[in-house]
Amino acid sequence: MTGRYVGRRLLQVLPTVAGIVLVGFLLIHLAPGGPIIALAGDSGDEEYYAFMTAKFGLDRPLPEQLATYAGNVLRGDLGVSYIQGRPAIDVIAERLPATLLLAGTALVGSSVAGVALGAWAAARAHSIRDLAVTSAALVLYAAPVFWLGQLALLTLALRTGLFPVQGMTTAGGPETGLAWALDVARHLALPALVLASQEVAAVARLTRAGVLEELAADHVRTALAKGLSDRRVLVRHALRRALLPVVTVIGSRPGHLLAGTIVVEVVFGWPGLSRLLLTSVQTRDTPILLGIFLLVAATVVLANLVTDLVYGWLDPRIRYR
Amino acid sequence: MGRGWAGWLMLLAVLLAACTGSEPGTTESPTATRAPSPDATATATDTATTAAPTGEETPSPTQTAAGGGTLVVAISSDPGGLNPAITTSGGTHTASELLYNGLVDLGPDLEPIPELAESWDVEEEGALYRFHLRDDVTWHDGEPFTSADVKYSFEEVLLQLHSRTQASVGPSLESIETPDEQTVEFRFSQPYAPLLQQLNVTEAPIIPRHIYEGTDPLENPANNEPVGTGPFRFVSYTPDAEIVLERNPDYFEEGLPHLDEVIMRVIPDEGSQVLAFEAGEVGWLWGVPGPDQERLAADPTVEFLQTPVNPGGANCIMTVSFNLERPIMADLRVRQAIAHALNRDQFLERVLFGQGQVAAAPISSGIPWAHAEGLDMPANDPAEAERLLDEAGWQREGDGTRTAAGVEGVDDGTPLAFTFVHFPTFSAYGELLRAQLREVGMDVTLVPLEPPVFAEQVFTARDFDTNIISYCNATDPEIGVRRMYHSSNIGEVPFSNAAAYRNDEVDRLFDEAQRTIDLEQRGALYRQIQEIAVAELPYFWIVETVGTRAYRSSCSDFQPSGHFAKTASCEQ
Amino acid sequence: MTDRGGGSAPAGQPVLRIRDLVVEFDTPDGVVRAVDGVSYDVAAGETLGVVGESGCGKTVTVLAVLGLLPRRSARVVRGEALLGGMDLLRLPPRRLRAVRGKRVAMVFQNPMTSLHPALTVRHQIAEALRAHDRGLPRHAARRRAVELLDAVGVADAARRARGYPHQWSGGMRQRAMIAMAIANEPDLLIADEPTTALDVTIQAQVLDLLREVRGRTGAATILITHDLGVIAEMADRVVVVYAGRVVETGDVHTIFHAPRHPYTLGLLAALPRLDTDRQSLAAIPGQPPDLVRRPSGCAFHPRCGLHRGRNRCVAQSPDLATVGPGHRAACHYADELAAETARAAGMSAAEPGDGPGAPA
């Protein structure tokens, strides 16, 4: 049953993503400005512009450009970057490991920490620890990411020298093996921390609210009456159902964490997709832009699917046919 | 606790730096330190003495004979590729110029210096240039460098894809001949004076024919694994992260380079660049934001190098353009009034933190033979501005915005309001200009636009009243100045004649200057142009911008741009 | 401390003794005294019926004993709850947990919400077993859980146990709850409105089950309900609670035939009867008391037919006084009631065993 459901949902991915890419294509081409100026800089004459425009096929009518692009995508060809002259798929794929590392670490870390903190706070609602968790979450959520990042750099990196200031690796540092992994880990720590701190807040507060509600439920009383420990009741009985809305929130984040973390990537010099997205927007590098749209759209749709499946696992009353 | 406060101020300073935006991505001028004279190669063994860059602002210690060391450099953006011949992008050039060479380099006073060409003849009053190439140059992959590489680079690449070269050299170039492997001849349909200024690694880098011929230069994978002739060789390129270059042991200038490795790290945020420099992760900054300069200057181990030459453009002037096709701006008195109302010293101080200088002439002081001295530039005189506006028919009641009363092409009662279009990074200029012009009764609306949109709105749609552009003059007025004033450059091509300025005399003078070989005569012609420009004010020139490099005193002997690290060395 | 299984106390000995329990709640409207000095005992092998209106404090009493009241808003002001020699109200949490589900087990009112919807029934019962026997391996616990379900009359227990509560019917769920409660053979079983949420026919089955369980294990049972019919059928002794106080206690026959508290009488009189000509139900006039602002004196006096404006009812709260062998009532004028009920006995009298669900 679940297998068929998954299959059906996967089929839905295609038209959704196609629709997003179509809208993206139209929006990019309708927006003012084009890629030639990024290549020309502040020089160039008419001949140059004519030459480059023809080279990229930008003088063709819009439907023709769209048809060409769509045809290519179906064959797995995302086009060639105007600015870099390399296949868009290569350019994007190169950034993927760094992005996945940062986004994945932040997502997993913030989810685990958020759920733990939220449940911990709810267990002693309205106490000092609850107040501490709730206000800390609020402060972190409200603090601008840029400020948090710079603060982290100044205090944790520059002052103490514990963490590096920039990049994913040390210049001229180890390139393979455990030493390299440790080097990357040291560089990953601060940006992941800053990114996660923004995510933790929502998860913690939502978990807290859900657990609080669940703790008032009858079945929790039954569990306690059975003689189960507070911790077991909290984790195995109350938390499980409280997590449903939390799972939804966490499931809505992968798309954003993939290409929407521009501030963190810029402040810490992390070579991820968000920066690529920004420069592609500034230079109107359409193949890269559309490639990233495609990737993010697919990620969001897949994350949705996974969320629904996790739902079904958390609450067996939800059944999919 | 005192140190704690310093930390907060630093944070605030960093934030402010980010908000106000840095100076434009301008280029440096070669007026600072410069490479050895043409005879340097003969006395190559004694590199210590020949490579003696003493910049205008750098109290650098005299170099040691010791070499070696690794230099880590911060760059602001991913180059996107390492071929400087197919683009004029500053990012690409910063990262890749160390890998290549041009035919002719330029000294501190823009005098030509041999590079790949060891000597040249100028014949037919500048219609024929013959270059004699060195015979001891090899590409990084071992292949010999020949004249065929030069011919290929120009014909198939530079004249099509390098926008500056294509626009300036292209029109009058007739042919490129290679009589033998060590000789290249450039033949022009009429004398072409500025050729020697356009042959360095920034304007015309030579790329290997044996790798690029028959392929599309824009997509050849060698763009990411470059093979050049330059002082450094390619090691690795991690996109948006790091580029590693190593010393080229077979480099044709003997004894150079000294450094073992140059590593370029992509750090997009200026504030983070400074932090990385302070943390010791980076040893060279291409530009230090104004607010941070004081703090870094207090550190005795930090050296500075100031220059108007930057990889993206040289000798740049922040220039206000007036759209002469608009009735308000068509009136010379209004333009003069604006010029008098502006306090250019304030721009220098507040926007550039004193780095640079007020523009004394339409052509940059970085091109000394063309820069006109003693011109009658409109001085800061708000009273005169008001008088001119009154005369032009713009009435003022009290301290409000002026309204039209008998102005040609404008209905009576129309307020003196107009738009000012600019890149978002130049918003500080807009704010200051608006404030200064409000004093004399002008209401300016700021319109910040991203570069692609700016280009369309200003040049394609011509929908603006005034704007500000960093017009880079480059190394010769033919390259960067002509396009602003020549009537043939009124059109859709961005960053050309924004004002839509038309003056037959000026056109004629430019055409003649292009053909005139004698530098003094050329200078006189450009002087005439500048006098007319100042009188007619199609533009108003605010400030000449510079870049401020920073490095540690454990390193020395840098050049401002291009092969900036060729002669440098760092203590281990 | 070794925990003895159910039934090991000799019949007749009190298993739980509640003494002068007072419980207060903080509400936005003020402090509510939900339990105002309740005392009763329950002996091994006996079923004690605790009856009263909704909100009279009968459930709060047992929740307080088990320490299941919300920590922040509820507090036990005073009192004792003696299980054997231990005062449950003063046990440290860990020891109280050892008691819950092992020596004292509870069956709750609404089995749909009282069972965890996302855990299998088998798991929930096994959990109860393993909570008190750490060494019990998982598969053994599961097997035992199925056995228990079988014992409470769930058909096809092995398969059904792997299902979830929402897949079970109401009656079966309650059976499962009972199975869970008796899993560790408690000395005391507390059933809080076990049949209220069920259909009438299912009610009968569940009551049968409870009776069977009681007989098999010999445990003491506290049966909390507002349904007199259930009391009549199941209880040995009865405690009547009003406004957080015990107003009458006695054996079931006496309570039904010769109640000595006007409230008890009112409850009995309100029972629907088929054998009279009465057109409408004889409800007790008035509303249940506001527990924030309690009536002075006897809490029942505003609704009492016996009060007749007499001052003593308003001035002084009556204590439980002995009115017969094993029979106590808290009313100043209990004797007057005796006379009246005797008069009315000829007209209509509810017999124990006449309530709904009586075995045919």
Side-chain angles (χ1 to χ4, degrees), chain B residues 37-183:
Chain B
S37 60
D39 293 56
T41 51
T43 55
T45 47
D46 198 4
T47 56
T49 48
T50 50
T54 43
E56 299 176 332
E57 328 258 311
T58 50
S60 55
T62 48
Q63 65 294 341
T64 61
T70 297
L71 180 69
V72 181
V73 172
I75 56 177
S76 301
S77 59
D78 180 42
L82 294 172
N83 186 341
I86 58 174
T87 177
T88 51
S89 144
T92 308
H93 275 257
T94 309
S96 61
E97 282 179 358
L98 285 174
L99 297 162
Y100 294 93
N101 294 99
L103 287 177
V104 174
D105 201 2
L106 292 176
D109 294 319
L110 302 181
E111 75 279 16
I113 291 173
E115 198 162 289
L116 286 174
E118 57 186 6
S119 64
W120 49 87
D121 316 308
V122 179
E123 293 173 16
E124 297 174 33
E125 292 174 313
L128 175 66
Y129 288 77
R130 184 179 306 111
F131 294 93
H132 304 283
L133 307 175
R134 299 177 67 117
D135 60 0
D136 58 347
V137 181
T138 53
W139 295 98
H140 293 151
D141 63 356
E143 292 291 316
F145 159 76
T146 68
S147 58
D149 292 310
V150 177
K151 183 175 163 78
Y152 171 79
S153 295
F154 272 89
E155 286 184 348
E156 302 298 325
V157 183
L158 293 166
L159 291 169
Q160 289 180 4
L161 303 172
H162 191 288
S163 50
R164 274 199 300 271
T165 306
Q166 187 263 342
S168 50
V169 176
S172 38
L173 181 65
E174 259 186 13
S175 68
I176 301 178
E177 304 298 328
T178 54
D180 61 61
E181 283 198 347
Q182 254 69 54
T183 314

Side-chain angles (χ1 to χ4, degrees), chain A residues 42, chain B residues 25-29 88-90 93 164 202-203 307-316 470-475 545 549 561:
Chain A
D42 65 347
Chain B
T26 53
T27 57
E28 313 99 32
S29 78
T88 51
S89 144
H93 275 257
R164 274 199 300 271
T202 305
E203 302 300 321
T307 167
V309 175
N310 287 312
N315 300 320
C316 305
S470 170
Y471 273 117
C472 296
N473 292 178
T475 48
T545 53
R549 318 271 185 262
S561 186

Side-chain angles (χ1 to χ4, degrees), chain A residues 92-117:
Chain A
I92 295 173
E94 269 166 8
R95 305 302 184 93
L96 222 39
T99 301
L100 288 176
L101 190 59
L102 180 62
T105 308
L107 189 65
V108 169
S110 65
S111 303
V112 169
V115 167
L117 282 172

Side-chain angles (χ1 to χ4, degrees), chain A:
Chain A
M1 169 177 61
T2 318
R4 241 197 3 220
Y5 175 75
V6 172
R8 249 184 341 119
R9 286 290 298 269
L10 283 177
L11 276 182
Q12 284 173 6
V13 169
L14 294 172
T16 314
V17 172
I20 293 171
V21 172
L22 171 66
V23 172
F25 186 95
L26 289 174
L27 283 177
I28 294 173
H29 281 83
L30 291 174
I36 309 296
I37 186 172
L39 294 164
D42 65 347
S43 5
D45 62 0
E46 275 166 21
E47 235 186 274
Y48 176 85
Y49 273 80
F51 176 78
M52 296 302 272
T53 304
K55 191 162 178 37
F56 294 136
L58 294 173
D59 50 352
R60 302 278 171 71
L62 196 59
E64 188 187 323
Q65 288 191 45
L66 177 57
T68 315
Y69 182 73
N72 287 340
V73 170
L74 287 175
R75 271 178 291 136
D77 174 14
L78 291 182
V80 172
S81 158
Y82 295 147
I83 305 299
Q84 299 193 31
R86 288 189 298 142
I89 205 168
D90 289 343
V91 175
I92 295 173
E94 269 166 8
R95 305 302 184 93
L96 222 39
T99 301
L100 288 176
L101 190 59
L102 180 62
T105 308
L107 189 65
V108 169
S110 65
S111 303
V112 169
V115 167
L117 282 172
W120 189 65
R124 291 267 185 285
H126 310 297
S127 66
I128 296 290
R129 69 150 97 152
D130 183 25
L131 192 63
V133 167
T134 318
S135 21
L138 191 61
V139 167
L140 284 178
Y141 189 70
V145 173
F146 181 86
W147 181 80
L148 269 182
Q150 293 278 1
L151 189 64
L153 279 180
L154 280 175
T155 53
L156 295 173
L158 198 57
R159 279 292 174 78
T160 63
L162 282 175
F163 295 101
V165 170
Q166 276 295 296
M168 192 169 137
T169 55
T170 310
E175 304 212 345
T176 53
L178 187 62
W180 173 81
L182 285 175
D183 190 34
V184 171
R186 266 183 77 229
H187 282 80
L188 177 65
L190 284 186
L193 190 66
V194 170
L195 203 53
S197 65
Q198 296 260 299
E199 304 284 319
V200 152
V203 173
R205 287 178 71 94
L206 212 51
T207 305
R208 179 189 173 278
V211 168
L212 218 51
E213 202 179 299
E214 277 293 297
L215 284 177
D218 285 347
H219 65 81
V220 166
R221 195 177 51 178
T222 308
L224 287 170
K226 283 196 305 204
L228 299 179
S229 70
D230 282 355
R231 205 176 62 87
R232 191 184 170 94
V233 172
L234 181 68
V235 174
R236 301 289 248 111
H237 288 250
L239 194 56
R240 196 164 179 152
R241 297 235 300 145
L243 281 183
L244 285 172
V246 179
V247 162
T248 309
V249 165
I250 295 177
S252 73
R253 300 311 283 165
H256 175 265
L257 285 175
L258 208 58
T261 56
I262 180 67
V263 178
V264 169
E265 284 191 11
V266 165
V267 168
F268 290 95
W270 191 264
L273 271 179
S274 306
R275 270 169 45 182
L276 181 63
L277 181 62
L278 180 65
T279 41
S280 304
V281 167
Q282 287 171 338
T283 57
R284 303 292 194 272
D285 198 348
T286 313
I288 305 276
L289 276 176
L290 289 174
I292 296 180
F293 283 6
L294 218 137
L295 181 64
V296 173
T299 305
V300 169
V301 174
L302 284 172
N304 260 342
L305 175 59
V306 170
T307 304
D308 285 345
L309 290 176
V310 171
Y311 249 60
W313 175 72
L314 280 178
D315 189 345
R317 289 179 298 182
I318 300 169
R319 276 272 170 261
Y320 301 110
R321 266 173 289 104

